[in-house]
Amino acid sequence: MLLSKNGVPTSTSFLASLKSFFLACRPKTLSAAVVPVVVGVAVAHFLGFEVDFLVAFYALFSALLIQIGTNLFNDALDFEKGADTHLRLGPRRATHMGWFSPSQIKTAASWCFILAAIVALPLILRGGWPIVAIGSVSLLLGYLYTGGPHPLAYSGLGDFFVIVFFGVVAVMGTAYLQTHKWLVEAFVAGIQVGALATVLIAINNFRDMDTDRTVGKMTLPARFGAWFARCEIALMFALAFGLVFYWTNRPTIFLLLFLPSLVLAVGVVRRACLLQPSEHMNKLLHLAAITQMTFGLAFTGLLVWGGRTL
């Protein structure tokens, strides 16, 4: 049941509550969970391994639940720490808007993590202790991103967390489930995918850097300013697109597959250079998520159709 801002239950319908919860999950950010799994499976196929699509499904489902749980904990804990106020420029947050209480959101987040662990059981049976370790650390850091005495997001480590766990670990872990090997190719692909996910958090932190400073949330843009955020966004895109030539040395193939996402990326960088922290950056964040998905589709196509052989 939804709550008003003073905590009094409202007579909102079940469908309205469901819609509010859906928005609390931040669906526009879920590309950060989908792309690494798809790319990890594509890397395994590229190297000639037989793909188990049921295992891929379990990996994708578990990754989505971890992402949603992390988003929900972030929603509730940022509100409790005072980071979400009436000055907030970003999309509406469930606890800040009074749609749900912080305890309700944290309970939902906990259930997402529990379900992620349950869904991962077939993955553990297939991959063994390495998957237990990856899953356990991912769940722990999903909470510590904004929870605990020293939250990663409040100390400038959020970007590092994203590129490692939503990039390298996610892609290498997915590829390992298909191949039982730790692959250099999966590491390279993980850097590319993680770089694009880091663009999302860089834009988010750029938008909120002024209000973050007031509550001691010292993200990298809050520490180093707008110029750093713009450079970070451009560098992460350059890293992701530049490493495409690890997979193919033919510029025509690069342009054929990646031109749409490259045009989008240039647009994101250009707008980031022109904009100041404001609510207009919400559209920029959405555009960056589309860029990530477009790149992911192109990258998957490159790997499935032959990579270096093209």
Side-chain angles (χ1 to χ4, degrees):
M1 181 180 292
L2 297 180
L3 302 178
S4 66
K5 287 189 176 181
N6 61 8
V8 178
T10 67
S11 57
T12 311
S13 69
F14 172 76
L15 288 179
S17 298
L18 194 62
K19 179 182 178 180
S20 297
F21 181 75
F22 177 74
L23 293 174
C25 294
R26 303 182 206 172
K28 292 180 180 180
T29 70
L30 298 184
S31 60
V34 174
V35 172
V37 175
V38 173
V39 168
V41 171
V43 168
H45 174 82
F46 166 76
L47 294 173
F49 292 89
E50 184 176 351
V51 172
D52 187 325
F53 288 101
L54 184 59
V55 169
F57 170 78
Y58 284 130
L60 178 60
F61 195 12
S62 184
L64 282 169
L65 287 168
I66 292 174
Q67 169 81 43
I68 292 170
T70 301
N71 287 345
L72 293 174
F73 272 125
N74 179 250
D75 189 307
L77 294 170
D78 266 352
F79 176 76
E80 291 182 335
K81 293 176 186 294
D84 289 341
T85 69
H86 66 284
L87 298 175
R88 175 174 170 76
L89 299 173
R92 293 176 294 176
R93 295 281 184 88
T95 45
H96 175 240
M97 295 301 297
W99 297 338
F100 300 97
S101 69
S103 62
Q104 287 175 315
I105 290 295
K106 285 189 287 187
T107 298
S110 298
W111 273 109
C112 284
F113 279 8
I114 291 170
L115 290 174
I118 293 172
V119 171
L121 289 176
L123 306 180
I124 293 170
L125 291 175
R126 182 178 177 89
W129 286 107
I131 302 303
V132 175
I134 289 174
S136 300
V137 174
S138 297
L139 291 172
L140 177 62
L141 293 182
Y143 172 76
L144 293 179
Y145 182 74
T146 43
H150 303 290
L152 299 174
Y154 283 68
S155 57
L157 295 175
D159 307 61
F160 177 75
F161 164 78
V162 168
I163 198 168
V164 171
F165 281 91
F166 285 93
V168 175
V169 172
V171 175
M172 291 189 74
T174 301
Y176 176 82
L177 284 167
Q178 299 292 337
T179 67
H180 292 286
K181 297 179 182 295
W182 298 109
L183 303 166
V184 173
E185 291 85 352
F187 175 81
V188 174
I191 292 291
Q192 293 176 267
V193 170
L196 293 177
T198 304
V199 170
L200 302 180
I201 191 175
I203 294 172
N204 188 74
N205 291 338
F206 184 13
R207 180 198 62 214
D208 296 335
M209 67 180 192
D210 293 327
T211 53
D212 283 345
R213 286 193 192 106
T214 64
V215 296
K217 187 176 182 179
M218 299 307 294
T219 62
L220 294 180
R223 289 178 184 274
F224 303 116
W227 70 271
F228 181 93
R230 293 174 178 130
C231 289
E232 182 183 13
I233 291 166
L235 178 62
M236 290 298 105
F237 275 133
L239 184 61
F241 282 95
L243 284 174
V244 169
F245 290 100
Y246 173 86
W247 304 94
T248 178
N249 58 7
R250 296 180 60 181
T252 53
I253 296 299
F254 173 84
L255 290 175
L256 179 65
L257 289 175
F258 291 91
L259 184 60
S261 55
L262 182 61
V263 170
L264 289 171
V266 171
V268 171
V269 173
R270 179 178 176 275
R271 293 188 191 186
C273 290
L274 295 174
L275 289 173
Q276 295 297 326
S278 68
E279 60 186 10
H280 296 296
M281 283 194 163
N282 295 328
K283 292 183 179 179
L284 184 62
L285 186 64
H286 182 47
L287 181 60
I290 294 174
T291 305
Q292 184 189 35
M293 288 295 291
T294 306
F295 180 95
L297 288 172
F299 193 20
T300 300
L302 177 69
L303 296 176
V304 168
W305 292 329
R308 296 191 187 96
T309 65
L310 290 177

